[in-house]
Amino acid sequence: MTGAYRTYRPATADDFERLEARIASVLGPAIRWQLWLFFPPSAFGGDGLSMPCDDLPRRPPADAADVLFTVIGGIARRTAHTELILALERRGSPDPGRLDRDWMRAVADACERAGVHLRSVLISHTRGVREHSPPEPTLTEA
């Protein structure tokens, strides 16, 4: 039998101190294309929320930021959540491609309009999950 074997050490509590690490351990390697919105527990009370969005096109439509603003803004107003962690689940490499960056920008723009801080971006890929810095919003004043 040939092949590479990896030995992993047992997970410890220190491995899961950050919320992003806990989310990554639950997400695991990608199964199919979907976008996840994770709202961490709010400082004003309230539990964290997670929202899978699995019936989306791989390429974000022109109005993606507007649609996401409606969703993110509505949740923020009704629940007092002020932060968001975005996760993109898709097969492939851990590095963001053009379509990933387009979705990341759409979410960043929606968060900017809704007054919600985009805390981080996770990409669930073929072999695991990698954290990335969120992009700067591209909103321009009209």
Side-chain angles (χ1 to χ4, degrees):
M1 180 182 279
T2 62
Y5 293 93
R6 294 184 180 162
T7 303
Y8 296 98
R9 66 175 172 75
T12 64
D14 294 339
D15 294 330
F16 302 107
E17 283 184 8
R18 295 186 61 234
L19 180 58
E20 284 84 350
R22 291 192 301 271
I23 292 172
S25 71
V26 171
L27 273 178
I31 297 171
R32 63 181 174 275
W33 159 240
Q34 58 185 338
L35 183 137
W36 291 83
L37 303 175
F38 294 98
F39 293 88
S42 173
F44 304 106
D47 296 329
L49 301 171
S50 63
M51 177 183 208
C53 307
D54 64 353
D55 195 20
L56 298 173
R58 186 61 183 106
R59 179 181 319 283
D63 65 344
D66 296 331
V67 172
L68 289 165
F69 164 70
T70 302
V71 172
I72 293 168
I75 290 171
R77 279 192 309 277
R78 288 174 179 81
T79 64
H81 283 88
T82 58
E83 288 188 318
L84 174 73
I85 298 171
L86 169 67
L88 300 170
E89 179 183 354
R90 49 91 176 130
R91 307 289 294 167
S93 87
D95 299 318
R98 187 178 55 78
L99 297 176
D100 299 325
R101 288 188 298 273
D102 290 347
W103 275 109
M104 290 162 63
R105 276 192 294 275
V107 172
D109 289 348
C111 285
E112 179 74 15
R113 287 175 54 195
V116 173
H117 172 66
L118 180 56
R119 180 169 149 169
S120 62
V121 176
L122 302 174
I123 293 183
S124 169
H125 53 91
T126 303
R127 295 182 316 272
V129 180
R130 182 181 288 175
E131 183 176 354
H132 298 275
S133 297
E136 293 295 321
T138 59
L139 289 179
T140 56
E141 293 298 320

